[in-house]
Amino acid sequence: MSNAPRLTALDALHRSLGATMTDFAGWDMPLRYASERDEHNAVRTKAGLFDLSHMGEITVTGPQAADLLNYALVGNIGSVGTGRARYTMICQEDGGIVDDLIVYRLADTEYMVVANAGNAQVVLDALTARAEGFDAAVRDDRDAYALIAVQGPESPGILKSVTDADLDGLKYYAGLPGTVAGVQALIARTGYTGEDGFELFVAPADAEKLWQALTEAGSSAGLIPCGLSCRDTLRLEAGMPLYGHELTTALTPFDAGLGRVVKFEKTSHGDDFVGHDALTAAAAKAETAPPRKLVGLVADGRRVPRAGYPVVAADGTVIGEVTSGAPSPTLGKPIAMAYVDAAHAAPGTAGVGVDIRGKAEPYEVVALPFYKRQK
């Protein structure tokens, strides 16, 4: 079996654009095309175009598709309306987070589960195993889709120029089938940048045509191609968790401050979803003895914190750990997300630092997100 990374349908196009490529979750993906800062700022002020074809699409169909997903995931998927989407998680029996997901309800008995690239096989295997006894089928559709995202304040205008779909009527976390530049697509108003934007699920054979059409449509609006590097700084500024950093199997949704995604009051399988008992205990524990909290940290200086660096109190005591860190193009300072002890988690807490190679660099504790777009 080859260990060579998988290539998206847009691989040759990325190389023709001079992209710096990197192996990401087993895929060869564009890290950047030119300047990471320029790509980041384009998404914040104009628009950026992303290839996200490494994400894992899994289709669940059948009369009991909703019941299966209610059992397999922590959210109430049965209450998602057709054409809408929901952010949720799949957990282990012990409550540990296997992955965070977006689930789209495409039709009455058809759902698309979108998993992170590195977890797609694990999620597929878990859903397949959990489907036993349900009148529902789980299908690996990773090869059936390419995924292109256009993100940023100019993205609605750019997309409107190449589609007849009702974008004005498309709410955040909703999706509708439509034709974009002559290509059949599922148009979703979702994203991972903190900006308005759209994710377009299309057949791989149509990906290049769609990319070129969007590039042309967005040229006068300042749209540029964007890589994974700026996607990371954009999501970090927006306070959005990244699996493997803010979310792991060692944490429950309650540890991650995302207990709201766990729905104990589901109409079906309310007392019988995977991880129910462990998550009930985790919820009770979070009430009485709050776990470490996920906070934002903003640097006083220029040194950039990285995942795994200790967070320390004024006396040098370790009070937490950085999960993600990077220079913030929008704030002009290094920023980080970190889990810290509850006693040090309030915004403005004095004396907090990050141990960067043996030296405690001062940081300000702030509420997440660092950046919120103006509606």
Side-chain angles (χ1 to χ4, degrees), residues 84-85 170-174 189-191 195-197 240 373:
R84 298 307 303 267
L170 187 65
K171 296 184 174 70
Y172 186 52
Y173 264 70
R189 201 163 203 156
T190 44
E195 299 298 337
D196 192 8
M240 293 175 166
R373 71 181 172 97

Side-chain angles (χ1 to χ4, degrees), residues 7-359:
L7 307 180
T8 79
L10 295 165
D11 183 74
L13 190 147
H14 297 315
R15 292 172 195 280
S16 75
L17 292 171
T20 299
M21 305 296 286
T22 188
D23 184 345
F24 182 81
W27 290 81
D28 219 7
M29 298 297 294
L31 187 64
R32 73 182 75 81
Y33 296 86
S35 156
E36 293 167 8
R37 180 178 294 272
D38 288 350
E39 291 172 25
H40 180 109
N41 290 335
V43 176
R44 285 278 177 260
T45 61
K46 295 169 185 171
L49 193 59
F50 296 83
D51 178 9
L52 306 179
S53 301
H54 60 310
M55 300 296 281
E57 296 87 5
I58 301 161
T59 303
V60 180
T61 56
Q64 290 188 303
D67 291 338
L68 162 60
L69 291 171
N70 268 358
Y71 167 70
L73 311 180
V74 301
N76 186 353
I77 307 305
S79 67
V80 178
T82 300
R84 298 307 303 267
R86 182 155 297 164
Y87 177 80
T88 187
M89 294 181 183
I90 182 167
C91 290
Q92 300 176 150
E93 283 286 4
D94 67 1
I97 302 166
V98 175
D99 200 12
D100 61 336
L101 311 165
I102 294 180
V103 180
Y104 297 89
R105 188 171 193 167
L106 304 181
D108 189 37
T109 59
E110 182 181 2
Y111 296 81
M112 182 168 68
V113 178
V114 181
N116 285 297
N119 296 331
Q121 189 63 48
V122 176
V123 173
L124 176 68
D125 291 345
L127 287 175
T128 301
R130 295 174 189 186
E132 190 176 342
F134 289 93
D135 187 3
V138 176
R139 185 175 73 231
D140 180 359
D141 268 349
R142 283 176 287 180
D143 291 336
Y145 292 104
L147 178 56
I148 294 173
V150 54
Q151 298 278 303
E154 298 290 339
S155 58
I158 293 167
L159 195 56
K160 276 180 190 174
S161 72
V162 290
T163 184
D164 292 333
D166 177 19
L167 299 186
D168 291 335
L170 187 65
K171 296 184 174 70
Y172 186 52
Y173 264 70
L176 83 167
T179 304
V180 184
V183 168
Q184 282 299 118
L186 171 67
I187 306 165
R189 201 163 203 156
T190 44
Y192 194 54
T193 61
E195 299 298 337
D196 192 8
F198 304 87
E199 295 182 325
L200 308 168
F201 296 85
V202 299
D206 291 330
E208 194 164 327
K209 178 184 176 184
L210 180 57
W211 180 282
Q212 298 287 25
L214 288 167
T215 298
E216 198 173 308
S219 60
S220 62
L223 176 138
I224 61 171
C226 295
L228 291 179
S229 187
C230 84
R231 181 171 154 88
D232 191 49
T233 52
L234 289 160
R235 71 91 195 167
L236 178 55
E237 287 184 352
M240 293 175 166
L242 176 64
Y243 195 88
H245 290 254
E246 288 71 43
L247 309 174
T248 70
T249 52
L251 297 170
T252 73
F254 294 95
D255 295 322
L258 291 166
R260 64 182 180 276
V261 306
V262 182
K263 303 300 181 188
F264 292 109
E265 74 291 354
K266 300 183 195 188
T267 50
S268 61
H269 292 284
D271 297 326
D272 182 28
F273 61 89
V274 177
H276 175 276
D277 293 351
L279 291 170
T280 301
K285 186 180 174 188
E287 287 287 325
T288 56
R292 282 183 165 177
K293 290 188 174 177
L294 188 64
V295 302
L297 299 174
V298 178
D300 283 354
R302 308 304 306 170
R303 299 184 76 187
V304 178
R306 298 298 181 191
Y309 284 11
V311 181
V312 294
D315 62 1
T317 308
V318 175
I319 55 168
E321 184 176 299
V322 171
T323 54
S324 296
S328 165
T330 304
L331 274 65
K333 298 176 178 180
I335 60 172
M337 287 200 278
Y339 282 110
V340 302
D341 295 344
H344 298 270
T349 300
V352 172
V354 175
D355 184 338
I356 301 181
R357 299 187 189 87
K359 183 173 186 291

